Amino acid sequence: MSRPQVWATKVAALIQAGNSSAALAQIKVAPTVKDLQQLRVLLSQAKLLAQHPNIDAATTDMIAAPRLHRSP
């Protein structure tokens, strides 16, 4: 049984609340690329990617070149 993916919804809530610096920090240590892709889907549905170009760039960069070592 897989665990529910709540990371993307929590980061999306940070962005909606206006705390983009905390969201950027979370994006840099994202658990998986799948979580980043899910975050991009949530943000595009809420039309927040256009409002936050730094978040758009950060998620795109992390999907293209993910970190080599991730914490469990």
Side-chain angles (χ1 to χ4, degrees):
M1 185 180 233
S2 65
R3 65 178 175 86
Q5 301 295 329
V6 296
W7 179 87
T9 54
K10 288 181 180 182
V11 176
L14 283 172
I15 296 166
Q16 288 175 339
N19 197 348
S20 60
S21 61
L24 284 172
Q26 286 296 312
I27 289 167
K28 290 180 182 177
V29 295
T32 65
V33 172
K34 183 179 176 181
D35 289 323
L36 288 167
Q37 292 169 339
Q38 185 180 15
L39 175 64
R40 285 191 59 84
V41 168
L42 288 173
L43 294 177
S44 64
Q45 288 174 348
K47 296 181 174 82
L48 289 172
L49 283 177
Q51 295 174 2
H52 300 279
N54 55 347
I55 301 290
D56 185 17
T59 54
T60 303
D61 290 345
M62 290 303 292
I63 290 171
R67 293 178 351 154
L68 295 177
H69 302 285
R70 299 190 183 273
S71 61

